[in-house]
Amino acid sequence: MNVATVAGGVVALFIAAATFVSVRRRGGAPGSVGLVLRLLAVAATAWIVVALLPFTIDDSGAAASYLLGVPVVVALCPLIADLTHRAVGITTAVAALVMLLWALILGLGIGLWFVLPALLLGMAAIATIASGPRRHQGTRTPEGRPRP
């Protein structure tokens, strides 16, 4: 185990701890399982990227920016969709497929490491789609009536 692996593990543990604190504050609101899985996918991706960065730079040079940058962007897209409350389920499903495709494209090199975040994103997509659309409780329609 090298320093990059330990640093990646610390980053992943920090993100995981922040995830559980955030979900605990929400009190088990609908969509919490999907959010936890999306954040854990980001944590796993961060761990993998930080751990593989020195090896990938030595092996691929400047190409490491897109070899490791694509999974980071893909893992962050469902979180951005969750913050905007727009198409969270489909964005998470597409991100899972893109992450899995990227893992297969990179093949036997560093790609197999990205199967774990792809599986986490796939489970998050299933959990998000299964929980249905989110209801905005306590808010009002533009006409001033309470939302159902």
mmCIF file of all heavy atoms in Angstrom, residues 4-48:
data_model
loop_
_atom_site.group_PDB
_atom_site.id
_atom_site.type_symbol
_atom_site.label_atom_id
_atom_site.label_comp_id
_atom_site.label_asym_id
_atom_site.label_seq_id
_atom_site.Cartn_x
_atom_site.Cartn_y
_atom_site.Cartn_z
ATOM 1 N N ALA A 4 -0.551 7.153 -1.941
ATOM 2 C CA ALA A 4 -1.727 7.540 -2.717
ATOM 3 C C ALA A 4 -2.947 6.709 -2.328
ATOM 4 O O ALA A 4 -4.060 7.224 -2.247
ATOM 5 C CB ALA A 4 -1.447 7.394 -4.206
ATOM 6 N N THR A 5 -2.742 5.429 -2.065
ATOM 7 C CA THR A 5 -3.856 4.574 -1.652
ATOM 8 C C THR A 5 -4.406 5.007 -0.308
ATOM 9 O O THR A 5 -5.626 5.069 -0.108
ATOM 10 C CB THR A 5 -3.397 3.109 -1.593
ATOM 11 O OG1 THR A 5 -2.846 2.739 -2.864
ATOM 12 C CG2 THR A 5 -4.545 2.189 -1.264
ATOM 13 N N VAL A 6 -3.521 5.325 0.608
ATOM 14 C CA VAL A 6 -3.958 5.786 1.929
ATOM 15 C C VAL A 6 -4.680 7.125 1.810
ATOM 16 O O VAL A 6 -5.742 7.334 2.426
ATOM 17 C CB VAL A 6 -2.757 5.884 2.896
ATOM 18 C CG1 VAL A 6 -3.162 6.528 4.203
ATOM 19 C CG2 VAL A 6 -2.166 4.507 3.133
ATOM 20 N N ALA A 7 -4.140 8.047 1.012
ATOM 21 C CA ALA A 7 -4.784 9.346 0.827
ATOM 22 C C ALA A 7 -6.155 9.186 0.181
ATOM 23 O O ALA A 7 -7.128 9.838 0.587
ATOM 24 C CB ALA A 7 -3.895 10.257 -0.019
ATOM 25 N N GLY A 8 -6.257 8.325 -0.802
ATOM 26 C CA GLY A 8 -7.552 8.064 -1.432
ATOM 27 C C GLY A 8 -8.535 7.461 -0.455
ATOM 28 O O GLY A 8 -9.731 7.795 -0.469
ATOM 29 N N GLY A 9 -8.049 6.571 0.403
ATOM 30 C CA GLY A 9 -8.913 5.978 1.419
ATOM 31 C C GLY A 9 -9.416 7.004 2.413
ATOM 32 O O GLY A 9 -10.582 6.965 2.828
ATOM 33 N N VAL A 10 -8.568 7.949 2.788
ATOM 34 C CA VAL A 10 -8.975 9.006 3.717
ATOM 35 C C VAL A 10 -10.040 9.888 3.068
ATOM 36 O O VAL A 10 -11.046 10.233 3.698
ATOM 37 C CB VAL A 10 -7.754 9.838 4.168
ATOM 38 C CG1 VAL A 10 -8.179 11.098 4.897
ATOM 39 C CG2 VAL A 10 -6.848 8.995 5.036
ATOM 40 N N VAL A 11 -9.851 10.240 1.796
ATOM 41 C CA VAL A 11 -10.845 11.044 1.081
ATOM 42 C C VAL A 11 -12.166 10.289 0.998
ATOM 43 O O VAL A 11 -13.245 10.849 1.241
ATOM 44 C CB VAL A 11 -10.332 11.426 -0.322
ATOM 45 C CG1 VAL A 11 -11.439 12.032 -1.166
ATOM 46 C CG2 VAL A 11 -9.158 12.379 -0.216
ATOM 47 N N ALA A 12 -12.101 8.996 0.670
ATOM 48 C CA ALA A 12 -13.316 8.184 0.556
ATOM 49 C C ALA A 12 -14.028 8.065 1.896
ATOM 50 O O ALA A 12 -15.260 8.152 1.970
ATOM 51 C CB ALA A 12 -12.973 6.802 0.011
ATOM 52 N N LEU A 13 -13.279 7.868 2.969
ATOM 53 C CA LEU A 13 -13.896 7.772 4.287
ATOM 54 C C LEU A 13 -14.533 9.095 4.709
ATOM 55 O O LEU A 13 -15.599 9.115 5.336
ATOM 56 C CB LEU A 13 -12.868 7.329 5.327
ATOM 57 C CG LEU A 13 -12.478 5.863 5.267
ATOM 58 C CD1 LEU A 13 -11.352 5.576 6.247
ATOM 59 C CD2 LEU A 13 -13.674 4.977 5.549
ATOM 60 N N PHE A 14 -13.904 10.210 4.366
ATOM 61 C CA PHE A 14 -14.471 11.520 4.668
ATOM 62 C C PHE A 14 -15.799 11.717 3.938
ATOM 63 O O PHE A 14 -16.782 12.171 4.527
ATOM 64 C CB PHE A 14 -13.486 12.629 4.293
ATOM 65 C CG PHE A 14 -14.033 14.004 4.519
ATOM 66 C CD1 PHE A 14 -14.105 14.536 5.796
ATOM 67 C CD2 PHE A 14 -14.488 14.765 3.458
ATOM 68 C CE1 PHE A 14 -14.622 15.795 6.018
ATOM 69 C CE2 PHE A 14 -14.998 16.028 3.664
ATOM 70 C CZ PHE A 14 -15.066 16.546 4.942
ATOM 71 N N ILE A 15 -15.833 11.354 2.650
ATOM 72 C CA ILE A 15 -17.066 11.489 1.878
ATOM 73 C C ILE A 15 -18.141 10.554 2.430
ATOM 74 O O ILE A 15 -19.312 10.945 2.547
ATOM 75 C CB ILE A 15 -16.809 11.229 0.385
ATOM 76 C CG1 ILE A 15 -15.910 12.330 -0.189
ATOM 77 C CG2 ILE A 15 -18.122 11.163 -0.397
ATOM 78 C CD1 ILE A 15 -15.433 12.070 -1.595
ATOM 79 N N ALA A 16 -17.760 9.333 2.800
ATOM 80 C CA ALA A 16 -18.735 8.383 3.358
ATOM 81 C C ALA A 16 -19.290 8.887 4.686
ATOM 82 O O ALA A 16 -20.499 8.792 4.938
ATOM 83 C CB ALA A 16 -18.085 7.013 3.526
ATOM 84 N N ALA A 17 -18.438 9.428 5.534
ATOM 85 C CA ALA A 17 -18.901 9.959 6.821
ATOM 86 C C ALA A 17 -19.841 11.148 6.605
ATOM 87 O O ALA A 17 -20.879 11.260 7.262
ATOM 88 C CB ALA A 17 -17.719 10.366 7.684
ATOM 89 N N ALA A 18 -19.490 12.016 5.675
ATOM 90 C CA ALA A 18 -20.367 13.155 5.369
ATOM 91 C C ALA A 18 -21.702 12.685 4.812
ATOM 92 O O ALA A 18 -22.749 13.288 5.087
ATOM 93 C CB ALA A 18 -19.675 14.086 4.373
ATOM 94 N N THR A 19 -21.685 11.606 4.066
ATOM 95 C CA THR A 19 -22.917 11.036 3.525
ATOM 96 C C THR A 19 -23.845 10.594 4.641
ATOM 97 O O THR A 19 -25.039 10.923 4.645
ATOM 98 C CB THR A 19 -22.587 9.833 2.625
ATOM 99 O OG1 THR A 19 -21.780 10.278 1.547
ATOM 100 C CG2 THR A 19 -23.839 9.173 2.102
ATOM 101 N N PHE A 20 -23.318 9.842 5.581
ATOM 102 C CA PHE A 20 -24.154 9.331 6.654
ATOM 103 C C PHE A 20 -24.655 10.455 7.573
ATOM 104 O O PHE A 20 -25.781 10.402 8.058
ATOM 105 C CB PHE A 20 -23.427 8.241 7.428
ATOM 106 C CG PHE A 20 -23.293 6.984 6.625
ATOM 107 C CD1 PHE A 20 -22.047 6.523 6.260
ATOM 108 C CD2 PHE A 20 -24.406 6.279 6.206
ATOM 109 C CE1 PHE A 20 -21.919 5.367 5.493
ATOM 110 C CE2 PHE A 20 -24.294 5.131 5.452
ATOM 111 C CZ PHE A 20 -23.041 4.674 5.091
ATOM 112 N N VAL A 21 -23.854 11.481 7.780
ATOM 113 C CA VAL A 21 -24.310 12.626 8.574
ATOM 114 C C VAL A 21 -25.436 13.347 7.839
ATOM 115 O O VAL A 21 -26.450 13.725 8.443
ATOM 116 C CB VAL A 21 -23.137 13.587 8.875
ATOM 117 C CG1 VAL A 21 -23.629 14.909 9.425
ATOM 118 C CG2 VAL A 21 -22.161 12.925 9.834
ATOM 119 N N SER A 22 -25.294 13.513 6.536
ATOM 120 C CA SER A 22 -26.317 14.184 5.742
ATOM 121 C C SER A 22 -27.626 13.413 5.744
ATOM 122 O O SER A 22 -28.710 13.995 5.900
ATOM 123 C CB SER A 22 -25.822 14.360 4.307
ATOM 124 O OG SER A 22 -26.847 14.844 3.488
ATOM 125 N N VAL A 23 -27.555 12.099 5.587
ATOM 126 C CA VAL A 23 -28.766 11.284 5.571
ATOM 127 C C VAL A 23 -29.417 11.263 6.943
ATOM 128 O O VAL A 23 -30.641 11.284 7.068
ATOM 129 C CB VAL A 23 -28.440 9.859 5.081
ATOM 130 C CG1 VAL A 23 -29.594 8.913 5.315
ATOM 131 C CG2 VAL A 23 -28.086 9.898 3.612
ATOM 132 N N ARG A 24 -28.619 11.270 7.967
ATOM 133 C CA ARG A 24 -29.167 11.273 9.326
ATOM 134 C C ARG A 24 -29.944 12.569 9.582
ATOM 135 O O ARG A 24 -30.974 12.569 10.250
ATOM 136 C CB ARG A 24 -28.048 11.116 10.328
ATOM 137 C CG ARG A 24 -28.505 10.830 11.715
ATOM 138 C CD ARG A 24 -27.356 10.268 12.514
ATOM 139 N NE ARG A 24 -27.649 10.305 13.912
ATOM 140 C CZ ARG A 24 -28.275 9.335 14.557
ATOM 141 N NH1 ARG A 24 -28.656 8.273 13.886
ATOM 142 N NH2 ARG A 24 -28.509 9.431 15.839
ATOM 143 N N ARG A 25 -29.450 13.685 9.045
ATOM 144 C CA ARG A 25 -30.155 14.957 9.198
ATOM 145 C C ARG A 25 -31.479 14.958 8.447
ATOM 146 O O ARG A 25 -32.436 15.585 8.867
ATOM 147 C CB ARG A 25 -29.299 16.107 8.676
ATOM 148 C CG ARG A 25 -28.206 16.490 9.612
ATOM 149 C CD ARG A 25 -27.495 17.714 9.106
ATOM 150 N NE ARG A 25 -26.310 17.967 9.904
ATOM 151 C CZ ARG A 25 -25.306 18.688 9.501
ATOM 152 N NH1 ARG A 25 -25.319 19.230 8.305
ATOM 153 N NH2 ARG A 25 -24.261 18.879 10.283
ATOM 154 N N ARG A 26 -31.515 14.279 7.293
ATOM 155 C CA ARG A 26 -32.741 14.216 6.500
ATOM 156 C C ARG A 26 -33.813 13.370 7.163
ATOM 157 O O ARG A 26 -34.976 13.498 6.853
ATOM 158 C CB ARG A 26 -32.466 13.634 5.120
ATOM 159 C CG ARG A 26 -31.783 14.578 4.194
ATOM 160 C CD ARG A 26 -31.673 13.949 2.842
ATOM 161 N NE ARG A 26 -31.158 14.890 1.874
ATOM 162 C CZ ARG A 26 -31.365 14.808 0.600
ATOM 163 N NH1 ARG A 26 -32.078 13.820 0.120
ATOM 164 N NH2 ARG A 26 -30.866 15.697 -0.221
ATOM 165 N N GLY A 27 -33.416 12.461 8.027
ATOM 166 C CA GLY A 27 -34.382 11.634 8.727
ATOM 167 C C GLY A 27 -35.010 10.559 7.871
ATOM 168 O O GLY A 27 -36.161 10.200 8.075
ATOM 169 N N GLY A 28 -34.306 10.023 6.923
ATOM 170 C CA GLY A 28 -34.834 8.930 6.111
ATOM 171 C C GLY A 28 -35.874 9.382 5.104
ATOM 172 O O GLY A 28 -36.837 8.674 4.848
ATOM 173 N N ALA A 29 -35.689 10.542 4.518
ATOM 174 C CA ALA A 29 -36.609 11.052 3.512
ATOM 175 C C ALA A 29 -36.573 10.153 2.277
ATOM 176 O O ALA A 29 -35.591 9.450 2.040
ATOM 177 C CB ALA A 29 -36.219 12.471 3.134
ATOM 178 N N PRO A 30 -37.647 10.153 1.484
ATOM 179 C CA PRO A 30 -37.635 9.359 0.253
ATOM 180 C C PRO A 30 -36.471 9.775 -0.633
ATOM 181 O O PRO A 30 -36.173 10.955 -0.786
ATOM 182 C CB PRO A 30 -38.973 9.718 -0.412
ATOM 183 C CG PRO A 30 -39.828 10.206 0.689
ATOM 184 C CD PRO A 30 -38.917 10.824 1.691
ATOM 185 N N GLY A 31 -35.814 8.833 -1.190
ATOM 186 C CA GLY A 31 -34.654 9.109 -2.023
ATOM 187 C C GLY A 31 -33.346 9.087 -1.268
ATOM 188 O O GLY A 31 -32.293 9.296 -1.863
ATOM 189 N N SER A 32 -33.378 8.832 0.034
ATOM 190 C CA SER A 32 -32.147 8.832 0.820
ATOM 191 C C SER A 32 -31.222 7.693 0.424
ATOM 192 O O SER A 32 -30.007 7.858 0.393
ATOM 193 C CB SER A 32 -32.454 8.728 2.309
ATOM 194 O OG SER A 32 -33.095 9.883 2.757
ATOM 195 N N VAL A 33 -31.798 6.534 0.116
ATOM 196 C CA VAL A 33 -30.970 5.381 -0.268
ATOM 197 C C VAL A 33 -30.226 5.688 -1.556
ATOM 198 O O VAL A 33 -29.028 5.425 -1.681
ATOM 199 C CB VAL A 33 -31.831 4.110 -0.409
ATOM 200 C CG1 VAL A 33 -31.019 2.956 -0.957
ATOM 201 C CG2 VAL A 33 -32.451 3.747 0.921
ATOM 202 N N GLY A 34 -30.921 6.269 -2.517
ATOM 203 C CA GLY A 34 -30.268 6.633 -3.771
ATOM 204 C C GLY A 34 -29.167 7.653 -3.561
ATOM 205 O O GLY A 34 -28.095 7.554 -4.151
ATOM 206 N N LEU A 35 -29.431 8.633 -2.687
ATOM 207 C CA LEU A 35 -28.419 9.652 -2.401
ATOM 208 C C LEU A 35 -27.192 9.036 -1.745
ATOM 209 O O LEU A 35 -26.055 9.348 -2.116
ATOM 210 C CB LEU A 35 -28.993 10.745 -1.507
ATOM 211 C CG LEU A 35 -28.006 11.816 -1.047
ATOM 212 C CD1 LEU A 35 -27.511 12.617 -2.235
ATOM 213 C CD2 LEU A 35 -28.626 12.705 -0.007
ATOM 214 N N VAL A 36 -27.409 8.138 -0.790
ATOM 215 C CA VAL A 36 -26.282 7.482 -0.121
ATOM 216 C C VAL A 36 -25.456 6.696 -1.132
ATOM 217 O O VAL A 36 -24.226 6.780 -1.139
ATOM 218 C CB VAL A 36 -26.781 6.558 1.014
ATOM 219 C CG1 VAL A 36 -25.683 5.636 1.493
ATOM 220 C CG2 VAL A 36 -27.308 7.375 2.163
ATOM 221 N N LEU A 37 -26.121 5.959 -2.004
ATOM 222 C CA LEU A 37 -25.382 5.167 -2.984
ATOM 223 C C LEU A 37 -24.645 6.054 -3.983
ATOM 224 O O LEU A 37 -23.519 5.738 -4.383
ATOM 225 C CB LEU A 37 -26.332 4.209 -3.707
ATOM 226 C CG LEU A 37 -26.857 3.066 -2.847
ATOM 227 C CD1 LEU A 37 -27.969 2.325 -3.568
ATOM 228 C CD2 LEU A 37 -25.738 2.116 -2.470
ATOM 229 N N ARG A 38 -25.254 7.180 -4.371
ATOM 230 C CA ARG A 38 -24.551 8.106 -5.277
ATOM 231 C C ARG A 38 -23.319 8.699 -4.610
ATOM 232 O O ARG A 38 -22.254 8.792 -5.223
ATOM 233 C CB ARG A 38 -25.498 9.220 -5.733
ATOM 234 C CG ARG A 38 -26.449 8.802 -6.826
ATOM 235 C CD ARG A 38 -27.220 9.984 -7.386
ATOM 236 N NE ARG A 38 -28.173 10.521 -6.422
ATOM 237 C CZ ARG A 38 -29.385 10.018 -6.203
ATOM 238 N NH1 ARG A 38 -29.773 8.964 -6.869
ATOM 239 N NH2 ARG A 38 -30.191 10.577 -5.332
ATOM 240 N N LEU A 39 -23.448 9.093 -3.353
ATOM 241 C CA LEU A 39 -22.294 9.655 -2.647
ATOM 242 C C LEU A 39 -21.215 8.605 -2.390
ATOM 243 O O LEU A 39 -20.018 8.912 -2.453
ATOM 244 C CB LEU A 39 -22.740 10.307 -1.345
ATOM 245 C CG LEU A 39 -23.464 11.648 -1.518
ATOM 246 C CD1 LEU A 39 -24.083 12.097 -0.214
ATOM 247 C CD2 LEU A 39 -22.522 12.691 -2.050
ATOM 248 N N LEU A 40 -21.622 7.379 -2.114
ATOM 249 C CA LEU A 40 -20.623 6.313 -1.953
ATOM 250 C C LEU A 40 -19.925 6.010 -3.275
ATOM 251 O O LEU A 40 -18.739 5.660 -3.289
ATOM 252 C CB LEU A 40 -21.276 5.062 -1.369
ATOM 253 C CG LEU A 40 -21.683 5.165 0.097
ATOM 254 C CD1 LEU A 40 -22.391 3.887 0.539
ATOM 255 C CD2 LEU A 40 -20.491 5.456 0.984
ATOM 256 N N ALA A 41 -20.643 6.141 -4.389
ATOM 257 C CA ALA A 41 -20.002 5.963 -5.697
ATOM 258 C C ALA A 41 -18.964 7.056 -5.934
ATOM 259 O O ALA A 41 -17.875 6.785 -6.461
ATOM 260 C CB ALA A 41 -21.048 5.973 -6.809
ATOM 261 N N VAL A 42 -19.276 8.293 -5.514
ATOM 262 C CA VAL A 42 -18.296 9.380 -5.634
ATOM 263 C C VAL A 42 -17.095 9.094 -4.735
ATOM 264 O O VAL A 42 -15.944 9.301 -5.130
ATOM 265 C CB VAL A 42 -18.940 10.741 -5.291
ATOM 266 C CG1 VAL A 42 -17.891 11.822 -5.160
ATOM 267 C CG2 VAL A 42 -19.957 11.112 -6.337
ATOM 268 N N ALA A 43 -17.361 8.595 -3.523
ATOM 269 C CA ALA A 43 -16.262 8.275 -2.603
ATOM 270 C C ALA A 43 -15.377 7.175 -3.177
ATOM 271 O O ALA A 43 -14.146 7.265 -3.132
ATOM 272 C CB ALA A 43 -16.815 7.845 -1.240
ATOM 273 N N ALA A 44 -15.990 6.135 -3.721
ATOM 274 C CA ALA A 44 -15.209 5.040 -4.311
ATOM 275 C C ALA A 44 -14.416 5.536 -5.513
ATOM 276 O O ALA A 44 -13.251 5.169 -5.698
ATOM 277 C CB ALA A 44 -16.138 3.895 -4.712
ATOM 278 N N THR A 45 -15.030 6.377 -6.322
ATOM 279 C CA THR A 45 -14.330 6.921 -7.494
ATOM 280 C C THR A 45 -13.146 7.778 -7.054
ATOM 281 O O THR A 45 -12.061 7.688 -7.636
ATOM 282 C CB THR A 45 -15.296 7.738 -8.360
ATOM 283 O OG1 THR A 45 -16.397 6.912 -8.736
ATOM 284 C CG2 THR A 45 -14.615 8.252 -9.607
ATOM 285 N N ALA A 46 -13.345 8.600 -6.034
ATOM 286 C CA ALA A 46 -12.252 9.445 -5.538
ATOM 287 C C ALA A 46 -11.106 8.587 -5.017
ATOM 288 O O ALA A 46 -9.934 8.861 -5.296
ATOM 289 C CB ALA A 46 -12.756 10.370 -4.445
ATOM 290 N N TRP A 47 -11.432 7.540 -4.275
ATOM 291 C CA TRP A 47 -10.407 6.654 -3.749
ATOM 292 C C TRP A 47 -9.617 6.014 -4.884
ATOM 293 O O TRP A 47 -8.384 6.001 -4.880
ATOM 294 C CB TRP A 47 -11.049 5.584 -2.882
ATOM 295 C CG TRP A 47 -10.081 4.705 -2.147
ATOM 296 C CD1 TRP A 47 -8.729 4.640 -2.283
ATOM 297 C CD2 TRP A 47 -10.401 3.749 -1.142
ATOM 298 N NE1 TRP A 47 -8.200 3.715 -1.429
ATOM 299 C CE2 TRP A 47 -9.206 3.150 -0.719
ATOM 300 C CE3 TRP A 47 -11.589 3.344 -0.561
ATOM 301 C CZ2 TRP A 47 -9.174 2.160 0.250
ATOM 302 C CZ3 TRP A 47 -11.549 2.367 0.403
ATOM 303 C CH2 TRP A 47 -10.346 1.782 0.809
ATOM 304 N N ILE A 48 -10.322 5.509 -5.864
ATOM 305 C CA ILE A 48 -9.667 4.835 -6.984
ATOM 306 C C ILE A 48 -8.801 5.808 -7.770
ATOM 307 O O ILE A 48 -7.654 5.491 -8.122
ATOM 308 C CB ILE A 48 -10.724 4.172 -7.885
ATOM 309 C CG1 ILE A 48 -11.384 3.014 -7.127
ATOM 310 C CG2 ILE A 48 -10.132 3.698 -9.193
ATOM 311 C CD1 ILE A 48 -12.660 2.511 -7.754
#
